[in-house]
Structures are given as structure tokens and as C-alpha cells.
């Protein structure tokens, strides 16, 4: 037998170390696109496991009550004339961004459905659980020049959980957000109000308030390379007229962007914005992004549909463009890096992965507050679930 023992034994000895001793941080992971230019990795077609809704008070409901229905203006009409500034700021209820929600809503869903997860009883123990937005940031990392990120990782009952931590820089920017940027954020939500109805077949009602607490979230299962994934992401609407009503292929992502007039503006749009749109919609398998182009006065006068699977065509021949293979290969490499770095199974232990543009991903190790993110209610409920050792039969 190999005197070094198996990997599992090595993990066991690690767990047996004194609790106050933190594991040594791992080496770093490079992010240079040239290192990830191989063939496109395996990515399992995402399937929807379920959904949940958040209401106007940001309360969780394990159903589709917040789902809206795609209802674009008629194509034979005069075209849209949406005033995206209408209702700002008097009919605007923005979500409180000081509240750090972490994975909590997804964990609520998981707790509700843990007994009947597709993939069998052992599937979750091998999986990575996170938000779609966190994976999107990983996909775009090789090309990102502006914003860094931090991801906290904890292993619990085999499962690796990844939860974003707001960087000090991102927090400073959020607290100093200029009024114009706040209005731009509102305009994106307002566009959704012009394009969505509350019931299939009915018309949008842009007279109400824009409340960004309300959200419909899809919970999806996929696999990237050897990594099973369970992730959730917000969905703007479903298209009752879609060729297939099977989620996620019936979902539509809505975006706004400023009107463009020169080839240079279009090129920049394809290189930067389209990359983010592609990453965000490719992961959950959303087939189309519908964009409203707004003029400097804040009116949308034209709509364009960008099929997710055709977005790369716009940059395929641009030497400064992006490549989907690089994005997915880097994401797969990061997930392997995280899986091999976080070996100790302990919901209070956190490996914090940090990245700033131009550098590699680095790791630091922490215990408990402020980085631990798996709530006690979740840990306790999942621990009570463990099969108890078989009772010895009482003598007859």
C-alpha cells in the first residue's frame, strides 16, 4: 500500500488537527487569458430544479408569484417610446443594499427541497452551491480590467458553498454612488416595467412603483467539467410565446444600453458589455437578451434581440475580443482550485479568494465572523438530517 495514504485519509488527518489551527493558504491562481485558450470545456445543459420569489418586503416564498410575462410592444406599431425617467425618484423603492443577504434565500430553497433533489441522495455532497452572479464574475475575470472581487468558500457535509464578499473598494463606490448612476440603475428596472406584464396575455402597466426588492429566481443544476453545480439567478420574465415553454428556454433577459452611432462605440459595446450579457445568460441557459437602446434624454426608441449563442460572433474576428472558451476554462480552473484548497469540512471555516485586475487569485483563511456565511439555522437543520447510527435491536 502507498505509505502516504489516500487523499481521503489525508483529509481525515487534517480534520483531526486542533480546531484553533488554521490550514495553510494555498498557492495562487493566474488569470491571464492566454493560459485558458484550450477547447471549450464540457458544460451540462442547465435544467431548472425549482424557483422561488421575493416579495415587496424582500420576504421569501417558495413559489413563482413574482414571475412576470414578456409583453413587448407590437412590431407593426410605431415602435417603443419608453420614458425611463418616469417615476424617478417618487415611485422608486430600491432594495436596502446595506443588508448582506449572502446565500440565505438559496439556502431556504435548498432546505425545503433537500430530500428530493434530482441526481440522488449523494449528489449535493459533491456539488458546488452559489449564485449565478458569482459564476458570471468568474467567467469574465480573464478580461476584467476595472473591478476586483472576493469570494468566501466553506465546505459543509461535502458541499462547497461560494458566497461573494463586497470588496472595500466596491463598498466605497456604492456609498459614494453619484446621482446620475443611481438614476441609470432605476432606468434599467423601469425598462423591465415597460416590457413585462403580471399575467400572460395582459399588457404592461408602467404607472406603478418600481420596487427592486421583488424578484423571481430560478434554481438550476448543471456541471462544468467535473464540477456539479447548483446555482440560482434572478430571471426578468418568461415569454408565453417562446417556441418551448420549458424553463430555462422560455426565459428572457432584459437590458438597456445607450444608443450608439459610430463603429467605435459598437466595437466597445461588443467587447465589454456583450461579454457580461453573454456570461450572465449562457450560465442559466437563457436563450435571448432583449436590449432597449436609450437616447441621452432617457427614452428607449429601439429594441434589439441578441441571441445568447450568437453573441460571440460579434467579436470572433476582433483580436481584442473575448472568447467563451477562455471564460469557461478559467471558471473550471477556479472551481478545481477552490475544491482542492478547501478540504476541511467545517461551516465556520472560510477560505477567502481575492482577486484584483492584473494579478492572480489569492487565498486567505478565516474562522467565524465576519467572513463565515452559512447561517446557524441552516447548519442545524442540515445536521439534524443526518441518518442516525442504526439502533441495536433490543433483546426480545
Amino acid at each position: 500500500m502507498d505509505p502516504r495514504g489516500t487523499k481521503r485519509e489525508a483529509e481525515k488527518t487534517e480534520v483531526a488537527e486542533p480546531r484553533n489551527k488554521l490550514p495553510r493558504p494555498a498557492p495562487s491562481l493566474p488569470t491571464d487569458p492566454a493560459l485558458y485558450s484550450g477547447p471549450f470545456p464540457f458544460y451540462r445543459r442547465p435544467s431548472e430544479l425549482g424557483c422561488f420569489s421575493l416579495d415587496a418586503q424582500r420576504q421569501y416564498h417558495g413559489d413563482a408569484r413574482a414571475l412576470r410575462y414578456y409583453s413587448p410592444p407590437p412590431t407593426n406599431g410605431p415602435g417603443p417610446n419608453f420614458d425611463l425617467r418616469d417615476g424617478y425618484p417618487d415611485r422608486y423603492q430600491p432594495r436596502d443594499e446595506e443588508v448582506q443577504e449572502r446565500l440565505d434565500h438559496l439556502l431556504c430553497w435548498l432546505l425545503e427541497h433537500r430530500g428530493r433533489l434530482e441526481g440522488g441522495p449523494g449528489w449535493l455532497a459533491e456539488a458546488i452551491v452559489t449564485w449565478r452572479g458569482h459564476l458570471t464574475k468568474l467567467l469574465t475575470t480573464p478580461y476584467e480590467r476595472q473591478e476586483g472581487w472576493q469570494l468566501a468558500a466553506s465546505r459543509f457535509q461535502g458541499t462547497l458553498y461560494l458566497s461573494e464578499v463586497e470588496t472595500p473598494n466596491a463598498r466605497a463606490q456604492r456609498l459614494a454612488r453619484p446621482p446620475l448612476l443611481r438614476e441609470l440603475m432605476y432606468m434599467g428596472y423601469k425598462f423591465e416595467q415597460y416590457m413585462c406584464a403580471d399575467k400572460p396575455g395582459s399588457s404592461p402597466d408602467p404607472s406603478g412603483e418600481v420596487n427592486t426588492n421583488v424578484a423571481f429566481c430560478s434554481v438550476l443544476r448543471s456541471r462544468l467539467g467535473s464540477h456539479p453545480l447548483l446555482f440560482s439567478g434572478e430571471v426578468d420574465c418568461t415569454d408565453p410565446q417562446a417556441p418551448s415553454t420549458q424553463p430555462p428556454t422560455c426565459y428572457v433577459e432584459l437590458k438597456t444600453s445607450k444608443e450608439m452611432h459610430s463603429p467605435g462605440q459598437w466595437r466597445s459595446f461588443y467587447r465589454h458589455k456583450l461579454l457580461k450579457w453573454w456570461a450572465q445568460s449562457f450560465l442559466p441557459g437563457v436563450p435571448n437578451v432583449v436590449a432597449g437602446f436609450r437616447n441621452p434624454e432617457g427614452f428607449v426608441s429601439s429594441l434589439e434581440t441578441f441571441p445568447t449563442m450568437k453573441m460571440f460572433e460579434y467579436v470572433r474576428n476582433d483580436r481584442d475580443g473575448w472568447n467563451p472558451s477562455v471564460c469557461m476554462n478559467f471558471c473550471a480552473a477556479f472551481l478545481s482550485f477552490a475544491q482542492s484548497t478547501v478540504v476541511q469540512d467545517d461551516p465556520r471555516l472560510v477560505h477567502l479568494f481575492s482577486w484584483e485586475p492584473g494579478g492572480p487569485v489569492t487565498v486567505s483563511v478565516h474562522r467565524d465572523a465576519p467572513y463565515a456565511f452559512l447561517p446557524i439555522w441552516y447548519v442545524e437543520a442540515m445536521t439534524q438530517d443526518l441518518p442516525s447510527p442504526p439502533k441495536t435491536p433490543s433483546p426480545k
Side-chain angles (χ1 to χ4, degrees):
M1 189 189 145
D2 183 346
R4 289 167 302 186
T6 63
K7 178 172 176 265
R8 283 278 166 222
E9 279 170 20
E11 284 176 17
K12 277 188 204 139
T13 52
E14 188 134 1
V15 174
E17 284 182 2
R19 280 188 68 83
N20 56 1
K21 188 171 169 205
L22 293 173
R24 278 191 306 278
S28 60
L29 179 75
T31 62
D32 176 18
L35 299 169
Y36 299 100
S37 63
F40 196 87
F42 173 82
Y43 187 62
R44 181 190 194 270
R45 182 193 296 271
S47 56
E48 186 175 82
L49 297 178
C51 65
F52 58 88
S53 295
L54 304 173
D55 66 19
Q57 285 73 46
R58 204 66 178 170
Q59 294 300 301
Y60 172 95
H61 303 275
D63 55 41
R65 68 184 65 185
L67 178 60
R68 291 175 302 175
Y69 298 84
Y70 182 61
S71 180
T75 42
N76 53 7
N81 187 31
F82 302 151
D83 179 2
L84 299 185
R85 292 193 163 133
D86 177 55
Y88 185 81
D90 41 301
R91 300 203 313 275
Y92 184 30
Q93 193 57 57
R95 178 176 84 78
D96 181 359
E97 294 176 88
E98 273 300 302
V99 180
Q100 299 286 313
E101 297 173 328
R102 307 185 178 172
L103 299 183
D104 290 14
H105 297 133
L106 176 51
L107 300 180
C108 277
W109 183 91
L110 206 44
L111 216 43
E112 234 174 71
H113 297 87
R114 64 194 183 280
R116 41 184 196 281
L117 276 186
E118 186 192 293
W123 183 82
L124 186 59
E126 303 290 321
I128 295 170
V129 171
T130 192
W131 285 110
R132 179 266 313 270
H134 302 359
L135 295 172
T136 301
K137 287 200 173 177
L138 291 171
L139 258 68
T140 58
T141 294
Y143 299 106
E144 180 57 47
R145 301 285 164 85
Q146 310 282 315
E147 291 171 25
W149 49 255
Q150 290 187 312
L151 275 178
S154 290
R155 191 179 294 284
F156 172 54
Q157 293 180 351
T159 308
L160 187 68
Y161 295 86
L162 300 176
S163 179
E164 189 176 12
V165 171
E166 187 176 39
T167 64
N169 194 19
R171 175 176 163 78
Q173 280 190 12
R174 171 171 63 81
L175 294 175
R177 194 178 285 149
L180 191 67
L181 194 52
R182 287 182 215 198
E183 191 170 11
L184 273 179
M185 288 172 70
Y186 170 83
M187 290 160 79
Y189 290 108
K190 186 68 187 178
F191 177 62
E192 296 173 19
Q193 203 182 50
Y194 279 109
M195 297 286 288
C196 298
D198 289 337
K199 289 194 274 300
S202 66
S203 296
D205 174 17
S207 68
E209 79 164 3
V210 169
N211 186 324
T212 63
N213 288 295
V214 180
F216 169 80
C217 294
S218 170
V219 181
L220 300 127
R221 169 195 178 183
S222 184
R223 179 161 60 88
L224 173 54
S226 61
H227 306 293
L229 299 174
L230 188 154
F231 62 92
S232 177
E234 197 173 331
V235 169
D236 290 334
C237 56
T238 184
D239 181 0
Q241 249 79 64
S244 158
T245 52
Q246 173 90 316
T249 50
C250 54
Y251 293 148
V252 179
E253 178 68 33
L254 300 172
K255 294 288 188 194
T256 60
S257 201
K258 60 170 193 267
E259 261 175 11
M260 286 165 294
H261 304 286
S262 72
Q265 288 175 325
W266 278 104
R267 197 161 49 241
S268 172
F269 166 80
Y270 296 143
R271 281 178 188 172
H272 305 293
K273 200 163 258 195
L274 216 51
L275 163 60
K276 297 213 161 123
W277 293 5
W278 170 80
Q280 184 185 7
S281 292
F282 177 76
L283 282 163
V286 172
N288 290 299
V289 174
V290 175
F293 290 101
R294 54 177 159 75
N295 65 19
E297 291 70 52
F299 281 80
V300 164
S301 55
S302 69
L303 301 173
E304 190 168 340
T305 299
F306 293 90
T308 306
M309 299 310 273
K310 294 191 177 153
M311 290 181 183
F312 173 52
E313 296 305 322
Y314 293 102
V315 291
R316 189 188 284 278
N317 301 315
D318 179 350
R319 56 183 189 81
D320 293 315
W322 48 274
N323 188 319
S325 299
V326 169
C327 300
M328 295 296 278
N329 284 324
F330 172 75
C331 187
F334 174 83
L335 297 177
S336 297
F337 179 58
Q339 283 285 29
S340 58
T341 302
V342 185
V343 286
Q344 204 166 315
D345 201 296
D346 179 349
R348 294 167 57 184
L349 183 69
V350 171
H351 284 72
L352 184 67
F353 294 87
S354 302
W355 178 75
E356 284 300 323
V361 179
T362 59
V363 196
S364 57
V365 189
H366 310 267
R367 184 174 284 288
D368 298 326
Y371 292 112
F373 59 89
L374 290 173
I376 290 168
W377 54 261
Y378 181 74
V379 171
E380 287 185 346
M382 294 294 269
T383 307
Q384 281 158 4
D385 253 13
L386 286 175
S388 43
K391 293 193 173 69
T392 47
S394 50
K396 288 204 165 62

